[in-house]
Amino acid sequence: MAPLVRRSARTRSRTVAGLAMFLAALVAAPPAHAAVRPGAALRVMSYNIQAGAGADHVFDLERQARAIEAQHPDVVGLQEVDVAWGTRSDYADEASWLARRLRMRVFFAPIYTLPPDRAGAPDRRFGVAVLSRFPILRAENHEITRLSTQVPNPVPAPAPGFPEVLIKARGVRIRVFVTHLDYRSDPAVRRAQVADMAAIMSRRRGPKLLLGDFNAEPDASELAPLWTRLSDALTVAGKRTTPTWPADAPVKRIDYITFTPGPRVTGAFVPDTLASDHRPVVADLRGIRS
């Protein structure tokens, strides 16, 4: 399939042919859950995709699809996802495109929904998403505290973009949450976001995953309340300080796969890829029980 990438008009005709080939392959492909092996570990990924751009700042969603595909994840939490947002991502519906390309189910949770910047176009949306090889039984987009990047003189206020997705994996119902915490150096908003997320998650029983870009390193004081409730896959695997950002020369660990106690981590790692400005995190979890 031809990559979804900014190209000249000369190359766009090849995109049509590539898309036709991909759709034909999709029709012939088995259902997304057919390749899941009973009893196998659940492979989870968290990935900030920088709206489809790589470390080189070139928009190429196919490159990111291949980076995800290479790890064979069952569940993926995505951050910085564009849906008809603008020219930086060719107005693509990145959530739906990746779901089709990877033959996975998807739930997109917008943080921002803005009017279109072109006549007749859909609303511009930006947020996070969950991809799943397993059926999505229910999904909800919760509000947490945010400091908007889209309005002048913002103040902290509730805003959406904290999805809760209930999947059924090998007979077990698992709640998957994805987050993208505030990036500013002042931890006050992140501290409020952690409290909000903890309150929402505490209302749910059963196994839970929290995936995301926390924009803070493991020892940050604002993240401390999470570690009383959740385990961090890289920490359990003895890789607590493995950096994830920036992708080309990582120095900070700000991306996470966390989970409620119970499962065993049989592997956790940070793939070396420049498909985004972040490196993804991948973990294998075994023994998840209701």
Side-chain angles (χ1 to χ4, degrees), residues 24-189:
L26 182 59
V27 171
H33 60 278
V36 177
R37 293 175 289 111
L42 184 75
R43 174 155 286 194
V44 182
M45 172 183 276
S46 182
Y47 199 12
N48 182 321
I49 64 170
Q50 195 186 207
D56 56 6
H57 303 292
V58 173
F59 174 68
D60 187 347
L61 204 55
E62 170 63 20
R63 175 170 52 178
Q64 295 185 345
R66 287 196 293 264
I68 297 170
E69 188 175 47
Q71 304 306 326
H72 307 288
D74 298 311
V75 178
V76 185
L78 299 175
Q79 303 89 49
E80 294 195 16
V81 181
D82 278 2
V83 172
W85 183 260
T87 56
R88 71 182 183 189
S89 49
D90 282 353
Y91 293 93
D93 180 342
E94 295 183 335
S96 296
W97 191 92
L98 284 169
R100 289 192 301 269
R101 168 63 177 77
L102 297 166
R103 300 200 296 268
M104 300 177 81
R105 287 89 169 175
V106 65
F107 178 72
F108 172 68
I111 297 172
Y112 301 121
T113 300
L114 302 178
D117 60 1
R118 304 176 299 163
D123 285 345
R124 304 167 59 228
R125 297 187 293 166
F126 171 85
V128 301
V130 175
L131 298 174
S132 173
R133 295 198 185 279
F134 301 97
I136 292 176
L137 306 181
R138 288 196 300 274
E140 183 176 356
N141 188 6
H142 296 284
E143 291 187 340
I144 60 174
T145 300
R146 295 195 182 278
L147 189 60
S148 176
T149 62
Q150 302 300 310
V151 299
N153 305 314
V155 295
F162 183 52
E164 173 188 354
V165 175
L166 180 64
I167 65 171
K168 189 173 184 180
R170 306 185 188 99
V172 179
R173 295 188 175 212
I174 304 169
R175 297 184 187 276
V176 182
F177 297 84
V178 178
T179 195
H180 189 185
L181 300 187
D182 191 74
Y183 68 91
R184 296 166 179 88
S185 59
D186 184 346
V189 174

